[in-house]
Amino acid sequence: MPHARPIIGISAYAERARWGEAWDLPAALLPRAYVDSVARSGGAPVMLPPVGGIADAVAGLDGLVLAGGGDIDPARYAAPRAEETAGVREARDAAEFALLEAALERGLPVLGICRGMQVMNVARGGTLHQHLPPVVGTRLHRRRTAAFDPHPVKVDPRSMTAEVLGRTVLDVPSYHHQGIAEPGEGVTATAWAEDGVIEAIEYAGTPHVLGVQWHPEMGDDPALFDWLVATASRAEPR
């Protein structure tokens, strides 16, 4: 049975971090905006660090967020690593692919954000563009360093994505340099940027699974987190 306040796991980073007066240590961390977004929508957020066996934690969850972060190892989609590919963390790749598989096996709702959407695609055999500017001819998706700039997105009006968002045209906060090249098996594109980059996906025939290329936690529209938490509160995991 789902918990009274749905427990939403959020995949986390493993990076060196600084805090306080002098601490500079390896850390498991997550931008606070993810946690706050889940909590505002009525969920109880739980951070899932990228360690071996973390997929076992899915048994205690009602929903899963695959968060943004560094690039996926291109070996996972049989590609050589491009010069621009950065921030690859093998432990995080292993943890998130295992978390996704476990969540799908239990029938939990899943929201993939930026890197998380890319994990969803690669998990189904899809591929990625390792650096978008030379592919699409724009820097629409990451204009400045460490800044979430908006750009417009159009959503398929027949999709679950449109139903969740409640609209088919919106501006989204964006920060990424990679994107989906070939969708994986059963991966359906449901939103696009003006340069043709895929901005949202669903799994055909699999309910309650949605990925977006943008960062909803950095915007002011709670629709995606509201959907995840509401779905988690109703779902009966298998």
Side-chain angles (χ1 to χ4, degrees), residues 124-175:
R124 289 288 180 95
T127 63
L128 304 177
H129 293 301
Q130 292 187 54
H131 195 55
L132 286 172
V135 175
V136 299
T138 73
R139 294 189 177 272
L140 180 69
H141 305 276
R142 191 169 74 178
R143 298 175 190 168
R144 298 177 292 162
T145 300
F148 294 89
D149 290 314
H151 69 74
V153 163
K154 291 186 178 180
V155 184
D156 183 344
R158 303 161 298 177
S159 65
M160 179 183 71
T161 308
E163 181 179 351
V164 169
L165 293 170
R167 49 189 168 150
T168 59
V169 179
L170 65 159
D171 285 336
V172 299
S174 179
Y175 192 80

Side-chain angles (χ1 to χ4, degrees), residues 29-103:
L29 54 86
L30 193 68
R32 178 67 184 260
Y34 289 102
V35 173
D36 290 343
S37 294
V38 168
R40 278 195 297 266
S41 292
V46 175
M47 189 171 73
L48 303 171
V51 297
I54 192 62
D56 291 345
V58 170
L61 302 179
D62 300 307
L64 175 66
V65 175
L66 295 173
D71 297 334
I72 299 165
D73 186 347
R76 288 188 173 263
Y77 47 96
R81 186 178 299 192
E83 181 180 352
E84 297 87 355
T85 292
V88 173
R89 300 287 185 268
E90 292 182 7
R92 186 170 182 192
D93 286 353
E96 290 187 339
F97 281 92
L99 285 167
L100 175 60
E101 181 180 3

Side-chain angles (χ1 to χ4, degrees), residues 11-20 23-31 47-51 89 91-92:
S11 64
Y13 298 65
E15 302 288 342
R16 195 168 188 90
R18 300 179 64 182
W19 68 95
W23 297 113
D24 185 346
L25 295 168
L29 54 86
L30 193 68
M47 189 171 73
L48 303 171
V51 297
R89 300 287 185 268
R92 186 170 182 192

Side-chain angles (χ1 to χ4, degrees), residues 175-189:
Y175 192 80
H176 65 101
H177 79 111
Q178 298 194 338
I180 289 178
E182 292 293 331
E185 183 177 356
V187 174
T188 302

Side-chain angles (χ1 to χ4, degrees), residues 99-114:
L99 285 167
L100 175 60
E101 181 180 3
L104 293 173
E105 286 178 355
R106 293 197 66 230
L108 299 185
V110 177
L111 174 61
I113 294 175
C114 197

